[in-house]
Amino acid sequence: MSLPRLGIDVGGTKCLGVVLDDAGQRVGEGRRATPRGAEAIVDTLAELAESLAADVGGVRSVGIGMPGLVTRDGVIKASPNLRDVADFPVGAMLAARLGRPVEVDNDATCAIAAEWKVGAAIGRTDVVMVTLGTGIGGGIVANNRLVRGANGFTGEIGHVVIDPDGPPCPCGRRGCWERYASGSGLARLAREAAVGKRLNRIVELAGGDPEDVRGENVQHAAREGDSDALAVIDLFGKWVALGLANLTNVLDPEAFVLGGGLAASADLYLGPIQRWFTRLLYAPDLRPHPDLTFATLGEYAGAVGAALLADVHQ
Ligand code: BGC
């Protein structure tokens, strides 16, 4: 039997590593807090990779998923939701530390690789992954191939501008889709609504100050049946659906896979997203509608996909 594969997903707060056997099953797992700055991140990744590999008696490949613009040769050019990281050759630095090649790709590209090979999109030929978390990530499979782009920067769908005068984005521009339709977008929509009109239950759950409202407060109030929270979720669903309708125009996928932290509360969002998607699609009566599905690998999608990079990059 061949050695298992190792993958690590680097997020804003944690690095999640997995070891994957040939059947795609997780046979090892470890987590570390994500430190600040390039050198410290490489130290953490090297230590986590070495300890996971030692636990299973060695691995045959190492892959890393990271948020941001990741070049085909493993340099992070920019990463809006990871602090103090720019022009960071993580692939080369980690390869030198581990003494072996390291594959690197964008976190959402890793997530689609995982869902396509061992998750919700097995057997699909044209599918778009949309990760709804702190930001929005995108991963694309078209014509049965993982799409990477000329530089490796494909799928930066969270930074498609939908209002050039909209709220500022950590990427340095304004009105990016992820300011409206991510986890932080949901909180922002709720805070805006709370300032204009008293959203009593949501503000109460946030501790009394509308400025402290978070996505979880909206979800909690919506589960209690609070009509203001359900209205915020409906508006959020509209923004998500608008982006999906735009992506349908560009890519004509057979399905979307929605993942990231917000997918854990899929039951709250699917109805509004589906309803708005049907209304916002171009020529909805004359075309097949892409399926809206949810990721099955949950928080592991990025790490599992990172472990599969050596195969899908070939
Ligand atoms: C980044 C993407 C990343 C996504 C999810 C966005 O802000 O630009 O590269 O995939 O967040 O982490």
Side-chain angles (χ1 to χ4, degrees):
M1 226 177 90
S2 51
L3 288 172
R5 295 160 286 186
L6 178 107
I8 304 178
D9 181 28
V10 181
T13 53
K14 70 168 189 298
C15 301
L16 171 58
V18 299
V19 181
L20 217 60
D21 70 11
D22 278 343
Q25 297 298 314
R26 295 191 303 273
V27 294
E29 170 179 342
R31 293 162 199 261
R32 302 287 184 273
T34 304
R36 248 178 116 147
E39 298 282 347
I41 290 176
V42 171
D43 288 345
T44 299
L45 294 178
E47 184 277 317
L48 177 56
E50 272 160 357
S51 108
L52 284 172
D55 287 349
V56 293
V59 293
R60 75 168 187 266
S61 62
V62 176
I64 306 290
M66 294 196 74
L69 299 177
V70 182
T71 68
R72 281 170 170 264
D73 44 12
V75 181
I76 314 298
K77 285 293 177 184
S79 192
N81 296 314
L82 208 58
R83 287 189 299 173
D84 293 342
V85 166
D87 233 338
F88 168 26
V90 61
M93 286 171 77
L94 189 58
R97 280 289 288 277
L98 298 176
R100 62 186 311 154
V102 173
E103 295 284 330
V104 190
D105 212 322
N106 172 268
D107 55 357
T109 298
C110 290
I112 187 61
E115 295 291 345
W116 182 42
K117 291 296 174 191
V118 295
I122 293 176
R124 302 274 196 188
T125 59
D126 293 87
V127 56
V128 180
M129 172 105 203
V130 180
T131 64
L132 304 168
T134 308
I136 298 180
I140 299 166
V141 166
N143 299 330
N144 211 26
R145 296 188 75 117
L146 184 73
V147 180
R148 301 184 69 195
N151 302 292
F153 301 162
T154 286
E156 282 295 334
I157 59 178
H159 299 284
V160 171
V161 172
I162 54 175
D163 177 359
D165 301 317
C169 181
C171 79
R173 300 171 313 142
R174 283 184 172 273
C176 294
W177 186 36
E178 71 173 42
R179 294 299 97 221
Y180 300 80
S182 63
S184 46
L186 173 65
R188 196 188 61 77
L189 293 176
R191 282 195 296 270
E192 254 183 16
V195 170
K197 138 174 150 30
R198 302 258 354 124
L199 302 186
N200 294 331
R201 183 61 184 141
I202 298 178
V203 174
E204 185 190 341
L205 287 166
D209 184 345
E211 292 302 326
D212 291 338
V213 167
R214 285 171 294 122
E216 299 90 275
N217 306 132
V218 183
Q219 290 174 0
H220 188 130
R223 288 201 188 287
E224 294 173 347
D226 179 74
S227 59
D228 293 331
L230 290 168
V232 172
I233 290 204
D234 189 64
L235 177 62
F236 174 77
K238 184 177 181 181
W239 285 116
V240 174
L242 177 71
L244 300 184
N246 288 339
L247 287 166
T248 303
N249 281 354
V250 179
L251 292 161
D252 185 24
E254 59 188 316
F256 287 98
V257 180
L258 306 180
L262 287 178
S265 302
D267 57 311
L268 276 180
Y269 303 110
L270 185 58
I273 295 173
Q274 186 81 66
R275 199 168 50 254
W276 282 110
F277 184 56
T278 303
R279 284 173 60 175
L280 294 169
L281 266 180
Y282 171 39
D285 301 334
L286 301 170
R287 69 187 307 154
H289 292 197
D291 294 336
L292 300 186
T293 64
F294 281 92
T296 55
L297 293 165
E299 65 163 343
Y300 293 102
V304 168
L308 296 173
L309 283 179
D311 301 336
V312 294
H313 274 174
Q314 280 173 6

